[in-house]
Amino acid sequence: MEERYEDATELFRWTLEYEESHGDTEGVIVSVGNLGIAAVLGGDPREALAFLRRALELSADLGHREFIAGSLDGLSAAYAIAGDTEDAAILLGIAESVRASAGLAREAIEARLYEKTMDLLSKSMPAERLRDTIARGRQKGLTEGVAYALEALGRPSVGGRDN
């Protein structure tokens, strides 16, 4: 199957404009989350981080655990692609904790991101260190986990981003 991230991105941008013009915050979260995922799968972690940060902030404001977990999964994948394996593994653990506490399963695209992230992390970290780092993320509660993610996004070390 041919990946068409540019086409998807165009559609998601149009949807975002529509949702913003109608004041639909949940729709905006879905649209920026989709833009972030498209950027991750298209290999652009820098762009992904900007979209997923917005998705996480809006999701946290609403207290929407499913959207928070999805944003964290996307951020984890973006960090893994950018080579920041420590934060990627911690964010993955936080996402798992949020999902477990709310009884949420990953949707198909989130499962695909998870597999991609785990593949990248398992190739760049020893198995025991990866397991321990994910476990550190799982120990963080929702509020602490979101705060950690937002603090990590403020660091200028990933993918040359300017936050």
Side-chain angles (χ1 to χ4, degrees):
M1 174 168 81
E2 180 183 338
E3 305 292 357
R4 300 186 60 181
Y5 300 112
E6 289 178 17
D7 292 344
T9 298
E10 183 179 330
L11 176 63
F12 296 145
R13 285 184 191 279
W14 179 86
T15 305
L16 175 59
E17 288 176 22
Y18 177 84
E19 301 297 353
E20 287 176 327
S21 71
H22 286 80
D24 182 353
T25 303
E26 286 190 11
V28 169
I29 294 168
V30 170
S31 294
V32 293
N34 285 338
L35 283 162
I37 290 169
V40 166
L41 295 175
D44 188 349
R46 185 177 179 153
E47 183 169 281
L49 290 169
F51 287 123
L52 293 164
R53 175 189 191 118
R54 184 170 178 207
L56 179 61
E57 289 171 339
L58 291 171
S59 300
D61 287 347
L62 291 181
H64 198 299
R65 289 175 182 256
E66 184 175 11
F67 291 164
I68 291 169
S71 298
L72 291 166
D73 277 332
L75 287 167
S76 176
Y79 275 79
I81 290 168
D84 186 341
T85 56
E86 186 83 10
D87 281 329
I90 290 171
L91 291 169
L92 194 64
I94 296 168
E96 289 177 359
S97 174
V98 171
R99 286 185 190 289
S101 71
L104 300 169
R106 283 186 172 89
E107 293 184 15
I109 191 67
E110 294 162 338
R112 183 174 173 194
L113 280 177
Y114 174 82
E115 291 171 13
K116 181 180 183 87
T117 304
M118 285 301 294
D119 183 55
L120 288 168
L121 292 176
S122 65
K123 290 177 181 174
S124 54
M125 294 177 86
E128 185 175 340
R129 180 170 166 237
L130 175 57
R131 185 180 57 250
D132 292 346
T133 307
I134 291 172
R136 284 184 20 226
R138 282 191 201 113
Q139 293 173 352
K140 297 182 185 303
L142 176 66
T143 303
E144 182 185 0
V146 169
Y148 177 90
L150 293 174
E151 185 272 326
L153 283 162
R155 290 186 231 130
S157 60
V158 174
R161 69 182 186 277
D162 299 318
N163 289 337

